[in-house]
Structures are given as structure tokens and as C-alpha cells.
Amino acid sequence: RMPVILDVDTGVDDALALLLACRCPMLEVLAVTCVHGNIGVDAVVENTLRVLDAAGARADLPVAGGFGEPLVQPVQHCPEIHGKDGIGDLSPPLPPSPRKARPEHAVQLLNDTLRESSRPVTVLALAPLTNIAIAIRTEPKLWRSKLARLVWMGGAVAVGGNATAWSEANAAYDP
């Protein structure tokens, strides 16, 4: 099984990615980190916990909240795409989760999870790269030695963007 960490801004798209990753027998989800993006980071964390419940993810799967704003751009959210709650304004909504996020920052969880893994880890970055950028910046040697690959949902080929004429949302929200 491929060890993975998902860094998310859980909206409709990331909710589906979490559901698939947690149910995929080829993946071992080691941790989930949350960042600003489709909605504020506190709501992202809550949505992530609820989606993990719906996915039947293991109860001890570590989840941590990260940056609530970009390093470069002003904060942007997209309720017109992902709903006011960030996950499509489901009716009825997903029930509250009994899970709790870890107290440490997402950057700490990213780096600790890489450090503790016996094998190189694939990081699935499905959101603005704020957490990832700071994690790499604080521990570059760790990332060089323990990262199998970084997969980012952040662009398109031969078409315009979905946030601006040439920018995909995750790239636009923190380039």
C-alpha cells in the first residue's frame, strides 16, 4: 500500500478525494492536514472530520488544522461553488463528528508524519500550498529524503483557469 498524506481545503472536490482515498485498498492514509481555501480553515477541519466519518476512516487517523490565510494573496473563498458550508450545503447536512483534530499545527503533523514513516510518502496536495510551502521551508532535508512525490491539484493544460482567466483556484489562492 502506498503511504499518503492529504492536504485539503475540504470542499466538494476534496470530500470526494477523501472518500476515495480512505476506501482505496492501494492507499494507506497516514494523516490529513487542513488549510484555508474553499472556506475558512476551521470549517475545513470540521468538514474533513465529518467526511472522514462518512468514509469510515479509521478513528485514530490524525487530522490537524493549518494556515487560515495565504502567504501572498488576500483571503478568498468560493461559496458560489462549494456552498456556504464548503461541502455543497447538503440537506440534511453531514452529522457532527465525534472525532477531534490534533492540537498541533498541520505543518508539524506533516513533518512528523514524514519523519516517522519507514517508507517515502506521497503527499496529495488538493488545496492552496500554504501548509506544504512552510513545511518544506522548515524541513527541506526531511522532505528531500522522505517525499516519494508531491501531487498537486493546481492547474490545467491548454485551457484557462477556473479562478481567473489563467489561474486555477488552488494556485490563485496562494501562488
Side-chain angles (χ1 to χ4, degrees), residues 10-12 15 39 47 50-51 82-90 94:
T10 302
V12 175
I39 195 165
N47 288 345
R50 290 174 183 217
V51 170
H82 292 277
K84 291 178 186 166
D85 70 354
I87 51 174
D89 296 327
L90 296 173
L94 291 175

Side-chain angles (χ1 to χ4, degrees), residues 6-10 32-37 39-46 48-49 62-71 75 77 101-111 127-135 174:
L6 287 91
D7 186 65
V8 298
D9 62 342
T10 302
V32 179
T33 55
C34 302
V35 69
H36 68 90
I39 195 165
V41 72
D42 292 339
V44 169
V45 170
E46 182 57 34
T48 300
L49 298 174
V63 176
F67 284 97
E69 59 186 51
L71 299 175
V75 172
H77 301 300
R102 301 276 290 267
E104 69 263 29
H105 194 277
V107 169
Q108 187 68 48
L109 181 57
L110 279 162
N111 288 339
L129 292 174
T130 316
N131 289 340
I132 304 297
I134 298 301
D174 201 1

Side-chain angles (χ1 to χ4, degrees), residues 3-162:
V4 298
I5 300 170
L6 287 91
D7 186 65
V8 298
D9 62 342
T10 302
V12 175
D13 52 351
D14 293 5
L16 181 57
L18 286 164
L19 288 165
L20 292 170
C22 289
R23 304 298 292 179
C24 179
M26 296 170 51
L27 299 179
E28 178 186 5
V29 180
L30 302 178
V32 179
T33 55
C34 302
V35 69
H36 68 90
N38 295 320
I39 195 165
V41 72
D42 292 339
V44 169
V45 170
E46 182 57 34
N47 288 345
T48 300
L49 298 174
R50 290 174 183 217
V51 170
L52 291 173
D53 288 344
R58 69 179 210 267
D60 65 342
L61 179 62
V63 176
F67 284 97
E69 59 186 51
L71 299 175
V72 178
Q73 301 284 59
V75 172
Q76 300 178 54
H77 301 300
C78 51
E80 68 281 2
I81 296 171
H82 292 277
K84 291 178 186 166
D85 70 354
I87 51 174
D89 296 327
L90 296 173
S91 181
L94 291 175
S97 177
R99 297 171 188 265
K100 300 290 181 212
R102 301 276 290 267
E104 69 263 29
H105 194 277
V107 169
Q108 187 68 48
L109 181 57
L110 279 162
N111 288 339
D112 287 349
T113 303
L114 284 176
R115 189 177 296 104
E116 293 166 7
S117 178
S118 61
R119 299 180 293 153
V121 175
T122 295
V123 174
L124 306 174
L126 308 179
L129 292 174
T130 316
N131 289 340
I132 304 297
I134 298 301
I136 292 171
R137 188 77 170 175
T138 57
E139 299 254 12
K141 289 179 183 175
L142 173 67
W143 281 73
R144 276 193 291 274
S145 68
K146 288 299 200 82
L147 182 68
R149 66 188 133 298
L150 175 62
V151 179
W152 181 41
M153 183 171 63
V157 177
V159 297
N162 66 353

Side-chain angles (χ1 to χ4, degrees), residues 156-173:
V157 177
V159 297
N162 66 353
T164 70
W166 294 104
S167 182
E168 186 276 336
N170 290 330
Y173 291 177

